[in-house]
Amino acid sequence: MTDLVLSDVTRRYGSVNAIDHINITVGAGEFLTLLGPSGCGKSTTLAAIAGLDQPTGGRISFGDRTLFDGGSRVSLPPEARGFGVVFQSYALWPHMTVERNVDLSLRLRKVDASERDRRVGEALELVGLTAYAKRYPGELSGGQQQRVALARAVVFRPALLLLDEPLSNLDAQLRGEARIWLKNIQRELGLTAIYVTHDQEEALSMSDRIVVMRGGHVIQMGTPQEIYERPIHPFSASFIGSANLISGGLIAAVSADGATVGLPGGQTLQGHAPLPVRQGEAALVAVRPQNIRLTEDADANRLLVRFGPANYLGDRFEQEAFLGESPLRLQAARPVPEGEGSIWIARQDVLIFPPDEGAKDKT
Ligand code: ADP
């Protein structure tokens, strides 16, 4: 098994750490996604792996090869690493046909002409562009150009495929389709892939594991289900699944499986606490919109709220319920009349965290 290992990788620009002591291991055949808001350090991490940028410190190894070592000043150039890279901008040569663009990857690696023909044919078939081999990039749609970029990155059978927001120039429908074929190709070829995106749906649907990043730090690492169902940080809960965050509460009591929070205004909420919390300390509560119920449930917390106007979304309504001044977004099959009312939230759907110290440093 060849693992890519990043140990304490840091990239400093002046006084800013674009990435700060990042530790990530990627297993053979794994599809790993770096997910986070713009500016959180995803592209910097990918560029450090590709060799397109040099970290300020740390170590990157791939199997028994050291790609970068800040201590001994080792840094292999990108061509010696031999990874396939696909960017958001397709970066195709406009004066070369589709097949020449793909072939160039093999020419640069001095592969024989007959072998090149065979592999270019295979790669174009893989991405469904055999019929477009003789066209120029300007004669293709955005989605087709992105397929050429992928064919070019996989044609030389890279040990690692690096993808930086490869689908973000496509419109919503094409992006949905592209997610599926891209994932199928990665699986079919057994490639190890590292994928950068700020799109939670892309990350959840394609990844074996997700690394949630913020402000140059890794916030949480896990399978899509772990990240979605068991966030260990309020940022994971709010960025993936858009949880409502309620601040201003204090931990009123701590029990074996959770805690009770006293909210501003005097109401209380019981819930699960993924991290240690202590009585009397400040609390940040996370609740996903779809977990807010409008019918009475004996096992749930009941909160008195004031409902705002509802917005129609086609298959459901979105509405705000105000807890004092704090709005909680909820989703409902039918709109609730504006004004005073109640909501119910099951205890297991209430996540209680300590305050988010890094929240100011959001990017
Ligand atoms: P992401 O890919 O998550 O959007 P980046 O890795 O591009 O984020 O950037 C991380 C941080 O590093 C940002 O704050 C960005 O402004 C900073 N940064 C990136 N490249 C440079 C650069 N060449 N010079 C100065 N700051 C940079």
Side-chain angles (χ1 to χ4, degrees), residues 151 173 189 193 211 348:
Q173 193 190 341
L189 298 181
V211 177
Q348 76 264 16

Side-chain angles (χ1 to χ4, degrees), residues 23-231:
N23 291 288
I24 299 172
T25 298
V26 190
E30 192 173 20
F31 193 112
L32 182 105
T33 297
L34 308 178
L35 173 66
S38 173
C40 72
K42 306 179 295 291
S43 298
T44 304
T45 307
L46 205 75
I49 298 168
L52 298 169
D53 180 53
Q54 276 206 31
T56 333
R59 194 164 184 279
I60 306 175
S61 61
F62 188 59
D64 52 11
R65 281 201 306 159
T66 299
L67 304 182
F68 173 81
D69 188 340
S72 57
R73 295 177 174 270
V74 170
S75 183
L76 291 189
E79 57 279 11
R81 300 186 189 197
F83 300 155
V85 187
V86 182
F87 294 106
Q88 179 178 350
S89 63
Y90 318 122
L92 302 176
W93 294 108
H95 60 288
M96 288 186 191
T97 60
V98 164
E99 64 184 2
R100 289 277 292 170
N101 263 283
V102 177
D103 184 49
L104 188 63
S105 276
L106 298 173
R107 280 175 182 266
L108 292 172
R109 289 172 178 82
K110 313 240 183 302
V111 177
D112 295 350
S114 62
E115 175 71 2
R116 285 199 332 253
D117 281 352
R118 196 177 60 75
R119 287 218 223 156
V120 169
E122 264 175 22
L124 289 180
E125 197 178 324
L126 193 67
V127 299
L129 285 182
T130 307
Y132 297 82
K134 306 283 182 212
R135 289 213 195 171
Y136 288 88
E139 299 168 334
L140 302 177
S141 70
Q144 290 165 337
Q145 290 182 43
Q146 192 52 285
R147 286 171 185 241
V148 180
L150 184 70
R152 188 181 53 182
V154 300
V155 72
F156 62 93
R157 297 179 194 145
L160 191 61
L161 180 62
L162 305 173
L163 304 130
D164 194 349
E165 306 251 5
L167 308 183
S168 45
N169 279 345
L170 306 181
D171 65 40
Q173 193 190 341
L174 267 181
R175 220 166 41 227
E177 290 167 11
R179 281 209 298 255
I180 297 170
W181 67 255
L182 182 56
K183 177 71 195 169
N184 286 344
I185 287 174
Q186 178 263 340
R187 213 181 268 137
E188 206 172 302
L189 298 181
L191 285 170
T192 308
I194 305 180
Y195 190 90
V196 161
T197 185
H198 60 270
D199 181 325
Q200 52 157 318
E201 248 184 57
E202 243 170 61
L204 289 171
S205 64
M206 298 174 81
S207 318
D208 294 315
R209 272 189 315 144
I210 298 173
V211 177
V212 181
M213 294 180 69
R214 180 180 70 177
H217 296 106
V218 172
I219 296 282
Q220 184 170 1
M221 218 179 314
T223 65
Q225 266 168 322
E226 280 164 357
I227 301 274
Y228 190 86
E229 292 169 15
R230 293 191 292 283

Side-chain angles (χ1 to χ4, degrees), residues 308-327:
N311 295 324
Y312 179 56
L313 298 181
D315 57 343
R316 62 193 190 283
F317 288 85
E318 190 176 62
Q319 198 160 4
E320 282 181 330
F322 287 87
L323 192 64
E325 293 305 309
S326 311

